[in-house]
Structure formats: structure tokens, C-alpha cells
Amino acid sequence: MKRIVLCAALMMALYSCSEPKKNSVQQEEGLAKKYEQNFKIGTIFAQPQIEGVDKLSIDIVKKHFNALTAENCMKGEVVQPEQGRFDFSLGDKVVDFARQNNMYMVGHVLVWHSQPPKWIFTDSQGNRVSRDTLIERMKNHITTVVKHFKGKVDAWDVVNEAFEDDGSYRKSPYFEIIGEDFINLAFKFAHEADPEVKLILNDYNVCKPQKCDAIIAKIKELRSSGLQVDYAGMQMHCTMDFPSKNEIETTLKKFEDNNIKLQITEFDLTSIPFPMGNTAEISARADYQEKYDPYKNCLDDDSRAKINSRFKEIFDSFLSHSQNIERVTVWGITDKGSWRLDWPIPGRTDFPTFFYSDGKMKEFLME
Ligand code: 9MR
């Protein structure tokens, strides 16, 4: 009896799973072309694409995207694993791919509390270094990295995630050792290393009003002290209800009103239950539970429609403010490679990017 019920449930589940629509003729031209009057359409490159093994994703990138960010391989711990030893081997490959395919290349990231050069905050005894030492190390890192990629990277995420949601400074080692002007110094060093390259102050949850205000105030302060900051970067790691349409609109407008151009740097949308509240805080972790993985076996029609309509709601806001948005980058090529599948809970099924795992495009982009 139990088995019959189980079979029936399985049949019903299979029956109600919906198939993604086939790509329409209109999509043959690719997304970058479709939105060329609005903004650049970007995505990221990770190990499987750099090594050339993920052919499906590489084809999608070539066809649909005209901007590229290195997901991990230009981060501090990768490019300077030991003091004075730089490793640009992976970064160079990403940059070569971008150049060969005529893409806008984004460097990610010069100063971030997560994945920094591991040794950078401490001396050989394991004690925290002085302000002067950290400034010197930060300067050397930024200068060497920016100069290495000079002429090949169009824009750098200079400082990432420097603020808390309440608008206060994140108490990162950079902040604690140097003070709040670590941001000023980072922008100064980046500009000195490559006066042509565009510079971004990047963060998540920028739609939180106090955080947004803090970022705007900081960019104004940097500019008024003569420093170059070209864009605020809004990561836009979204959930089904945050940020709301209204919060997005208000935020986009605030930047316009303050003459600060935007890049949407890491857009994605999680549609599975999320136990940690609204955050992209990388240290958050939770254990796997079935209830947090509702689409493990299939995605039903109703949920597919809801996900697409939420995507559309957000993307439409980008479109209607496109005069102030240089680029919209989605943080993942297909759903299969998204960081969301393993954060904050490992091994789940989610639909965060523009393409389903099999390479079919999300329906909202076909309209
Ligand atoms: O997608 C990245 C993932 O592969 C890494 O494990 C993670 C660890 O630092 O970083 C992810 O990318 C982050 C980005 O660099 C900065 N903003 C938040 C992104 C998602 O966590």
C-alpha cells in the first residue's frame, strides 16, 4: 500500500514538473545585442570555463554576453598567495577570453575582507601588523595587480563590502588596522596604477536605505577630496521578496539624484527557502534539510512562472533606469554553476541565473 501511494505521488510530481520553453527565434541574436541600447550584459568565469571543459556555458557566454568578471581567480588569496609571489595564470586566461570575444572586462576584487591574501594582516609571529605596514602591503598588492592587467581590464571592483546594512563601517581587518580611510587609499592607489581604468565601490544589500546612504555619502566624500570613483556597484543578490520593487526603484533613483552611475555587479535570484534572512554574508552557513530544497526533483509550472515574474520585475527596473546603469552582470552563467546551490546550505537546487542548468534561457528574457 505504502509503495502504491509513493508511486502515485511520484507520478504526480513528475506530471506537474514543467519544461523550460525552447529558445525563441528572437533570442538567436543574443542578450547583449538585444539590450545593447540599455546596458552591457555580463556574467562570470569560473574554473570549468577557464579550463574550457564547460562547453555549454562557454557557448552561452559567447552568444549572449558582452561583459565578463572573474568569479574567484583575481581575488587576493589567488593572485598573491604569499607575500611578493603573484600568480596571474588564471586571471590572464579570463582576460584573454574577454579580449578575444570583445567583452568589457571587470577585475574582481582588490580589497575585500573575504579571500584576502592570507598573510596580509599579520607578521611572522602572527600578530596584527601596524597601520603603516598594512597600507604598504595594500598599496603593493593594488599597484602590482592593477598594473599587470593595465589596458586589459576596463573596470575594477576596488573595495568590496565595506559597509554593514545599518550604514556603519564593516569591522574588517582593513578597517580596524587602517581606519575608514582604507577606502580612500585603495581608490588612490588603484587610480595611480592605471589612470584610465574605471573604479567601482561594490556592495550587497545596497537597497537597505542606511547602507545606500552610507555608500552615497562615501562616494561624495571621496570625490570631493579629488579621488576618482566612477561607479557604485550594486551586487543585487535577490530573494523572492527582497528587495521589493519599491525598494529597488527608490535606490536606483537615489543614485541618479546624486549623479552616481551604477553597475549591477552580481545579480542573481534565489527562489528557495532561506533560513538566514536577507544577506549575502559569505560566512553564513546552515545544515541541509529537505524543507529547504523544494525543487530537488522538479520545478512545477506555478513556481516557474513566479520565478520568471520576479526576475522580470527586477530586470524591468534596471531597464527603466538604464540611462544610469552601465552594466548588468548575472552571477553565474547557468543555474548549475551558481554559488547559491552551496550557500548557505550545500547541495540544493535553485534557479538563480538567466539560464537553466540545461542551457535553456529563462522565459522572462524571451518576451
Ligand atoms: O561566487 C563566489 C563563490 O564561488 C566563492 O566561494 C565565494 C567566496 O568568497 O565568493 C562568491 O562570490 C562572491 C563575490 O566574490 C562577492 N560578493 C558575494 C559573492 C557571492 O558570495
Side-chain angles (χ1 to χ4, degrees):
M1 183 62 185
K2 229 178 178 178
R3 199 175 283 173
I4 295 172
V5 174
L6 208 69
C7 278
L10 192 69
M11 295 271 293
M12 273 176 68
L14 286 175
Y15 188 67
S16 58
C17 287
S18 73
E19 278 295 312
K21 272 193 200 154
K22 292 221 164 53
N23 287 355
S24 65
V25 178
Q26 184 203 357
Q27 265 12 90
E28 292 307 316
E29 64 180 1
L31 293 174
K33 181 93 184 111
K34 181 174 173 187
Y35 296 109
E36 69 182 344
Q37 301 303 324
N38 304 103
F39 30 60
K40 295 177 183 70
I41 301 281
T43 191
I44 53 176
F45 241 43
Q47 202 81 11
Q49 295 86 45
I50 297 172
E51 287 167 359
V53 291
D54 183 2
K55 302 229 180 311
L56 173 71
S57 294
I58 294 170
D59 287 347
I60 291 174
V61 174
K62 285 183 177 169
K63 179 168 172 185
H64 291 285
F65 294 95
N66 57 0
L68 197 62
T69 306
E71 183 178 18
N72 288 306
C73 71
M74 290 189 187
K75 290 175 179 172
E77 68 174 10
V78 181
V79 295
Q80 200 184 172
E82 290 161 32
Q83 187 167 12
R85 181 169 74 79
F86 287 84
D87 181 353
F88 296 117
S89 50
L90 294 174
D92 285 343
K93 288 185 184 165
V94 182
V95 164
D96 286 348
F97 181 91
R99 282 164 71 83
Q100 278 157 18
N101 292 284
N102 212 7
M103 302 171 90
Y104 182 86
M105 181 68 215
V106 183
H108 177 78
V109 49
L110 296 172
V111 177
W112 187 27
H113 64 278
S114 181
Q115 296 173 290
K118 290 252 179 296
W119 48 270
I120 202 163
F121 304 120
T122 46
D123 63 19
S124 53
Q125 270 83 54
N127 300 315
R128 278 204 164 177
V129 293
S130 67
R131 172 181 152 90
D132 286 350
T133 301
L134 185 55
I135 291 175
E136 196 46 45
R137 288 178 175 189
M138 189 176 81
K139 180 177 185 183
N140 186 48
H141 184 80
I142 292 174
T143 307
T144 310
V145 176
V146 173
K147 282 197 167 160
H148 177 85
F149 291 110
K150 195 169 180 172
K152 298 175 183 171
V153 160
D154 296 285
W156 272 103
D157 288 331
V158 178
V159 175
N160 200 29
E161 302 171 6
F163 294 94
E164 301 287 355
D165 287 356
D166 67 3
S168 62
Y169 285 102
R170 179 190 283 272
K171 308 300 173 287
S172 72
Y174 286 108
F175 175 83
E176 287 181 331
I177 298 172
I178 299 177
E180 59 188 67
D181 62 337
F182 85 89
I183 303 176
N184 309 45
L185 291 166
F187 276 88
K188 177 175 181 285
F189 300 149
H191 178 67
E192 284 169 358
D194 182 356
E196 302 298 317
V197 79
K198 302 293 183 201
L199 305 177
I200 305 170
L201 178 61
N202 194 39
D203 219 317
Y204 64 80
N205 280 359
V206 177
C207 291
K208 299 260 180 188
Q210 292 162 307
K211 193 170 201 168
C212 179
D213 293 345
I215 290 169
I216 289 174
K218 187 69 193 177
I219 292 178
K220 285 178 148 179
E221 179 217 308
L222 292 168
R223 285 180 175 174
S224 67
S225 58
L227 292 164
Q228 177 190 317
V229 187
D230 299 283
Y231 300 95
M234 288 176 67
Q235 294 187 9
M236 291 301 279
H237 294 294
C238 302
T239 68
M240 294 298 276
D241 51 20
F242 178 80
S244 69
K245 177 87 180 165
N246 198 22
E247 287 167 322
I248 298 172
E249 288 290 329
T250 308
T251 308
L252 296 177
K253 179 137 193 334
K254 265 192 198 172
F255 283 101
E256 281 163 8
D257 292 347
N258 284 283
N259 286 320
I260 298 171
K261 291 222 176 298
L262 291 168
Q263 300 213 4
I264 306 299
T265 52
E266 307 180 14
F267 178 37
D268 62 10
L269 169 63
T270 183
S271 47
I272 50 182
F274 199 70
M276 344 280 308
N278 296 314
T279 181
E281 173 53 53
I282 200 70
S283 58
R285 289 279 176 284
D287 291 334
Y288 184 90
Q289 292 182 45
E290 292 273 331
K291 66 174 179 180
Y292 292 136
D293 198 9
Y295 306 126
K296 190 175 162 199
N297 297 317
C298 85
L299 178 64
D300 58 276
D301 275 339
D302 187 40
S303 306
R304 184 187 297 279
K306 282 190 182 130
I307 293 167
N308 273 279
S309 96
R310 173 67 172 144
F311 258 122
K312 182 169 161 39
E313 175 179 73
I314 302 168
F315 198 78
D316 281 352
S317 284
F318 298 156
L319 285 173
S320 62
H321 292 265
S322 64
Q323 77 286 354
N324 200 45
I325 300 177
E326 173 72 26
R327 155 179 75 107
V328 173
T329 283
V330 61
W331 203 246
I333 305 166
T334 72
D335 294 340
K336 199 173 165 190
S338 167
W339 71 293
R340 290 286 200 180
L341 274 45
D342 287 312
W343 177 94
I345 299 170
R348 299 190 298 166
T349 300
D350 202 357
F351 307 94
T353 73
F354 289 174
F355 292 85
Y356 294 104
S357 293
D358 62 2
K360 294 210 179 79
M361 190 187 287
K362 294 270 154 69
E363 287 81 352
F364 81 100
L365 289 165
M366 295 185 201
E367 288 167 10

